[in-house]
Amino acid sequence: MSATAEPVVSLKLPTRWPQAGRVGWIGLAWLLCLPTLIPLMATLFGALQAEPDVLEHLTSVVLPRVAVNSFWLVLGVAAGSALLGTALAALVALTEFPGRRWFAWLLMLPLAMPAYVAAVALIGLFDYAGPIATVLRGWGLETWPEFRSRWGVTLTLILTLYPYVYLIARGAFASQGARALEAARALGMGPLRAFLRAALPMARPFIAAGTLLVAMETLADFGTVAAFNYDTFTSAIYKAWFAMFSIEAALAVAGFMLLGVLALIALETWSRRAQRFHQVGHRGPVSRAGLGRWRWAASAFCAGVLGLAFVVPMARLAWLAWPRLDTLGSRDLGIAGNSVLLALLAAALTVGVAMALSLLCRKAPGTATRSATRIATLGYGLPGALLAVGLYVPVTLMLNRLADWAGWQGVAQGGLGLLLVAYAVRFTAVAHAPVESAWLRIRPSLLESARGMGVSGWRLLRGVHLPLLRSGLLTAALLVVVDVMKEMPITLMTRPFGWDTLATRVFEFSNEGQWAEAALPSIAIVVVGLLPVLWLERRMQDAP
């Protein structure tokens, strides 16, 4: 594979497009990032404007507890996911053991299972009244630790989030780490020393990037901590809004949470500041180290992780759901239809925004459009609960002011429109990555050849650009559909009254301890979540 690439040139859009000038295109780019700026500014302003008694209650009662809980949860999940994901990636990429090729993609399956779905299954198994704890007490083990605790929620999140580190570290080990390991072994180092001195240091920036992503996902989690009744910033925002009926308190908690989110985003940006990526030599077969008598232990370790993270939860959900298949009715189908409809509408809106941002970066390249794109894709690092509060308050205020000015009555506050905007803010980064990647794969020489043959304007856009972008657009739509199907806090906090989805049904049942009733919608979410995992496996099937 050649390491050279043609220079990226700005896009020549059809001549019939309005010539609004460079300032107009930059203004449009900043208009697209406005929905991301609104919740950020509203959260900061709302936190600063909170009443003194509200702030006193939060700082003396709520924030110390949720801040400590959030800190230890993020630290535990990040450290556990880094260790587990790195160990599995090193085994699969650098060693040979029975079943390695199967485990290479099977270990990605927990990506399809949202953490709150795993919580439904694991709590039912390991809780005090669950079958495992009951059997252990029958054997005389009366000191079984309470699963609905910090260690239980930490373990559940590790088992569902380690694939973020595994995927990134596996690619690093397979491309650069294997070559470094071979060179270190040629210099006389033993297997363990060669790994610690050569392969691991080269993969460290990638492992750090995956770990920071895990930390951000942990801080943003809502459904899992709610199932375990473990208070964090996200659950505090929800309780302030729906239990205390205090928008001011919810904004204040969100403001403190935003500080932690921005710190993680700054840390992630700083960690990538000096990274450089190079393809050294040609890509060919890599010799993997044999494990000798430890090869079956490696297989057992991978099988144990896969079983606990995916097989056991899915088996538990299937066992709970099977007796209730005959209870499926039109209401359940309607809820599934709501989820699919929301996912498709959100995918169309989000992919459209991502496509527009990529177009504008080529129409008016420069710092201004790049900055607007960076802000517009910042929403993926913002927790759903924060976005829900930050968007709802200013939109509601604007609608109320507009209604007072126009003399309208019964103006709807929020609704599906607000819900879709919140989805777009949250998942624009998810759609932008494959769309931008597809743009970068279009060779400027191909466009020049088309223009040389007289193809220009809309014919060039329709006949050359869109066919080449189709794969990236479909990939972006697929990823957004799956993410929206799994998303819980935004849907729960901003959906219209009576508009249920699969995710909100899982929350309602698990919040009431009805684990069996939560099984069917949980399985449906996991089945949809398998789509991007299978797509990833297909894209990575040529990896060593």
Side-chain angles (χ1 to χ4, degrees):
M1 181 177 65
S2 174
T4 61
E6 298 188 46
V8 179
V9 297
S10 61
L11 176 67
K12 295 181 180 179
L13 294 177
T15 55
R16 294 182 183 178
W17 282 38
Q19 298 299 318
R22 179 180 175 83
V23 175
W25 299 119
I26 294 175
L28 182 56
W30 280 93
L31 183 63
L32 290 175
C33 78
L34 186 61
T36 304
L37 286 173
I38 287 176
L40 292 175
M41 302 306 297
T43 300
L44 292 175
F45 182 78
L48 294 174
Q49 296 296 316
E51 296 293 333
D53 55 340
V54 173
L55 283 177
E56 182 181 358
H57 173 73
L58 292 176
T59 55
S60 61
V61 179
V62 178
L63 289 175
R65 183 181 72 257
V66 300
V68 171
N69 286 348
S70 299
F71 172 79
W72 287 113
L73 182 63
V74 170
L75 183 64
V77 174
S81 299
L83 289 173
L84 184 59
T86 303
L88 292 171
L91 284 175
V92 168
L94 302 178
T95 66
E96 192 64 58
F97 58 91
R100 184 196 65 82
R101 290 186 176 274
W102 285 97
F103 286 122
W105 69 272
L106 287 174
L107 288 170
M108 297 191 302
L109 290 181
L111 277 176
M113 183 171 293
Y116 60 83
V117 170
V120 169
L122 294 178
I123 289 175
L125 280 174
F126 295 105
D127 204 11
Y128 183 83
I132 293 180
T134 302
V135 170
L136 292 176
R137 287 197 303 272
W139 291 349
L141 185 61
E142 297 291 341
T143 59
W144 177 255
E146 175 62 39
F147 187 67
R148 274 198 264 192
S149 59
R150 179 177 294 161
W151 78 269
V153 66
T154 301
L155 176 63
T156 302
L157 286 169
I158 289 173
L159 291 174
T160 52
L161 296 179
Y162 83 83
Y164 288 107
V165 180
Y166 166 76
L167 283 172
I168 298 175
R170 175 190 159 191
F173 285 135
S175 60
Q176 298 181 5
R179 302 299 183 189
L181 194 62
E182 289 178 352
R185 294 297 302 276
L187 294 175
M189 294 185 185
L192 181 59
R193 186 184 177 194
F195 172 73
L196 295 176
R197 295 289 300 274
L200 186 59
M202 296 192 70
R204 189 178 296 140
F206 303 92
I207 297 171
T211 303
L212 284 171
L213 182 58
V214 168
M216 295 176 70
E217 289 288 336
T218 302
L219 190 61
D221 179 83
F222 171 74
T224 313
V225 297
F228 279 87
N229 198 25
Y230 184 85
D231 285 335
T232 61
F233 281 110
T234 52
S235 60
I237 293 173
Y238 179 82
K239 291 177 181 179
W241 194 347
F242 288 94
M244 297 174 57
F245 302 102
S246 174
I247 292 293
E248 294 80 7
L251 280 173
V253 176
F256 283 99
M257 183 183 186
L258 182 59
L259 297 178
V261 173
L262 294 178
L264 287 175
I265 292 174
L267 182 61
E268 189 269 342
T269 303
W270 175 84
S271 69
R272 293 188 289 107
R273 76 195 191 287
Q275 288 185 19
R276 299 294 184 270
F277 305 93
H278 302 281
Q279 181 71 30
V280 181
H282 67 282
R283 183 175 179 174
V286 176
S287 60
R288 296 182 177 86
L291 294 177
R293 59 192 178 96
W294 294 102
R295 63 187 185 280
W296 290 107
S299 300
F301 175 63
C302 293
V305 173
L306 178 65
L308 189 58
F310 187 80
V311 177
V312 170
M314 280 301 294
R316 173 68 176 174
L317 292 174
W319 184 79
L320 291 173
W322 180 257
R324 289 163 178 79
L325 288 177
D326 56 352
T327 64
L328 286 175
S330 57
R331 185 168 186 267
D332 299 290
L333 295 178
I335 291 172
N338 289 344
S339 298
V340 173
L341 177 62
L342 278 178
L344 293 176
L345 291 175
L349 176 61
T350 307
V351 173
V353 171
M355 180 71 173
L357 289 171
S358 294
L359 280 168
L360 292 171
C361 283
R362 284 154 178 81
K363 181 64 178 177
T367 303
T369 48
R370 286 198 304 270
S371 299
T373 301
R374 175 61 177 163
I375 294 174
T377 56
L378 194 65
Y380 193 67
L382 302 177
L386 188 151
L387 286 175
V389 174
L391 279 172
Y392 180 87
V393 174
V395 169
T396 299
L397 179 63
M398 181 187 67
L399 289 176
N400 287 338
R401 293 287 178 85
L402 184 62
D404 292 339
W405 176 77
W408 296 339
Q409 299 292 330
V411 178
Q413 298 181 0
L416 287 181
L418 179 63
L419 186 58
L420 292 174
V421 171
Y423 285 150
V425 173
R426 181 81 166 90
F427 300 120
T428 292
V430 176
H432 184 262
V435 170
E436 182 66 17
S437 177
W439 273 109
L440 293 176
R441 288 196 297 269
I442 299 179
R443 293 178 176 271
S445 59
L446 180 62
L447 301 180
E448 295 300 331
S449 299
R451 293 189 183 100
M453 292 185 291
V455 179
S456 61
W458 287 110
R459 291 178 57 200
L460 180 65
L461 182 66
R462 183 177 62 254
V464 178
H465 286 109
L466 290 182
L468 294 174
L469 292 172
R470 184 179 297 119
S471 175
L473 294 173
L474 291 176
T475 299
L478 171 63
L479 294 177
V480 173
V481 165
V482 173
D483 274 337
V484 171
M485 291 284 289
K486 296 189 297 183
E487 204 287 326
M488 179 182 290
I490 292 177
T491 312
L492 192 65
M493 299 174 71
T494 61
R495 75 192 194 278
F497 179 77
W499 187 281
D500 291 326
T501 66
L502 294 173
T504 62
R505 292 297 284 171
V506 172
F507 171 80
E508 291 169 356
F509 285 132
S510 60
N511 196 43
E512 297 173 1
Q514 298 177 327
W515 311 112
E517 286 73 11
L520 273 175
S522 298
I523 290 176
I525 293 173
V526 174
V527 171
V528 175
L530 285 172
L531 296 176
V533 175
L534 296 177
W535 173 82
L536 278 173
E537 188 275 331
R538 182 179 178 183
R539 294 289 299 268
M540 299 179 66
Q541 62 184 347
D542 295 330

